[in-house]
Amino acid sequence: MRRAALLVLALAVPLVLAAPTAARKRGNTITVVRVKEPARANVTVAGFELDLVRVRGKKTARASVASSLPKGVSVFAVLGKQKRSDRVRGVLVAVNRAPAVTAAAKAHRRRLRINLRHAAVPRGYTLKLKLHEADNVLNPHRGFHCSSYFKSGDLAGALKLGGPRLPNITTGSLIQFACASAVGRTAYPGEGELRAAVNARSGALAFVRSPQFPNVVNGTASFNYPVKSFAVQADKGHQLTACSFAGGTCAISASNQALFTLAAPAAAGSGLQFALATSPDPAAALPFRFFGIDSAGKRAGPLATSGP
């Protein structure tokens, strides 16, 4: 069998499809994928599948050259391990890093053109593209599962296809966290790292156990934007019983949420220390949700937590 080596965006990621015959090749060497350009400080995640299929009837092959990426936009890719010689699956992640920390912007309507470059397709066959995507996954969106396209072990081969590199995050972690955001709105470890990398509003909350009281955790919250208040939502397994906050006031609501209100808005990067008492005693890994509220009263989150 003749094997056609497929390469993503200027020979960056090797893809292999096997044609069942050694028939003459056709001239097309590019399959174009169009994904929605993410808004500033946001991410688009797209899963693609290429299938080698027999052509029924005469078709004309067309190839299109990808346009240059808009300023601030980067594209990353990971391929799943092939289980079939006639099928390739993978995920493309498009990131639009804002020039400064910003709230979610209005989504772009433009689409990015990404070339899947490959060897000529054998005569009598064509490549069929299937594409599913989730746009602006840091905003409310339709859920998307990357697990249908690759496994965690495939991330070792993840590559940047174009655009600037993102600070303080690896390519594998970026794709992993983008896929976690694509699933839904549940907070996960690494969400703050992804948000910070794209200059979206983000925060981090770390807990440590109190050395004096077994039912108390001490927390430190920080944000990359000014906040006037923030909230911690307890999970179903813990009831918040008390709180304290040196930077202002705190109150526990009937919905099992602690709201911390600052006496004056805190500057970006400030470490805000507080304490929470729970019943029962805090678990080894508290699944609390964490929200920041800006000076205009808009909630950003859920954000990342860790500890105790």
Side-chain angles (χ1 to χ4, degrees):
M1 291 191 297
R2 178 168 297 185
R3 304 184 70 83
L6 296 175
L7 302 179
V8 176
L9 200 62
L11 312 180
V13 181
L15 306 177
V16 178
L17 294 179
T21 67
R24 287 189 302 164
K25 295 181 179 180
R26 304 190 310 165
N28 62 311
T29 59
I30 295 175
T31 299
V32 178
V33 179
R34 296 177 177 86
V35 300
K36 192 170 183 179
E37 180 184 342
R40 281 191 172 182
N42 225 313
V43 181
T44 289
V45 179
F48 69 88
E49 179 180 311
L50 274 179
D51 293 303
L52 190 65
V53 296
R54 185 180 292 275
V55 175
R56 297 188 180 277
K58 186 176 181 181
K59 293 187 178 181
T60 302
R62 294 183 179 180
S64 179
V65 178
S67 59
S68 60
L69 292 172
K71 185 178 180 180
V73 174
S74 303
V75 178
F76 303 83
V78 61
L79 301 179
K81 183 178 180 180
Q82 287 182 238
K83 296 182 179 180
R84 292 175 50 170
S85 62
D86 60 345
R87 174 177 296 171
V88 173
R89 286 176 174 166
V91 166
L92 299 168
V93 174
V95 176
N96 190 347
R97 185 173 190 266
V101 175
T102 182
K106 183 179 292 187
H108 292 296
R109 294 184 179 180
R110 297 172 297 188
R111 287 192 172 271
L112 305 173
R113 274 160 88 93
I114 301 170
N115 286 346
L116 304 185
R117 297 185 183 275
H118 48 78
V121 177
R123 182 175 296 279
Y125 290 84
T126 188
L127 289 176
K128 183 178 181 180
L129 173 68
K130 299 176 183 177
L131 184 71
H132 301 279
E133 66 181 283
D135 305 322
N136 298 309
V137 298
L138 298 185
N139 294 348
H141 62 279
R142 180 179 297 178
F144 174 87
H145 293 270
C146 292
S147 57
S148 299
Y149 296 90
F150 72 91
K151 302 303 180 185
S152 58
D154 300 321
L155 287 169
L159 291 174
K160 180 176 74 71
L161 302 184
R165 293 191 176 277
L166 299 183
N168 305 317
I169 192 169
T170 65
T171 297
S173 293
L174 184 144
I175 294 176
Q176 178 185 1
F177 300 157
C179 285
S181 289
V183 173
R185 297 297 299 145
T186 302
Y188 60 88
E191 181 177 7
E193 187 177 345
L194 173 63
R195 287 177 171 271
V198 301
N199 266 338
R201 287 180 173 176
S202 62
L205 178 62
F207 292 110
V208 294
R209 291 182 183 274
S210 168
Q212 298 172 308
F213 306 103
N215 66 324
V216 172
V217 289
N218 297 319
T220 300
S222 61
F223 301 84
N224 64 359
Y225 64 101
V227 294
K228 69 172 185 179
S229 59
F230 61 94
V232 178
Q233 177 70 54
D235 68 301
K236 295 180 179 179
H238 291 84
Q239 181 68 40
L240 299 179
T241 58
C243 63
S244 63
F245 182 40
T249 61
C250 68
I252 297 174
S253 70
S255 61
N256 206 22
Q257 177 177 275
L259 177 64
F260 299 88
T261 304
L262 285 77
S270 301
L272 307 173
Q273 298 182 341
F274 63 93
L276 279 173
T278 71
S279 179
D281 291 353
L286 283 171
F288 287 174
R289 289 190 297 166
F290 168 48
F291 305 92
I293 302 169
D294 64 17
S295 299
K298 186 174 181 180
R299 190 175 76 171
L303 303 174
T305 66
S306 64

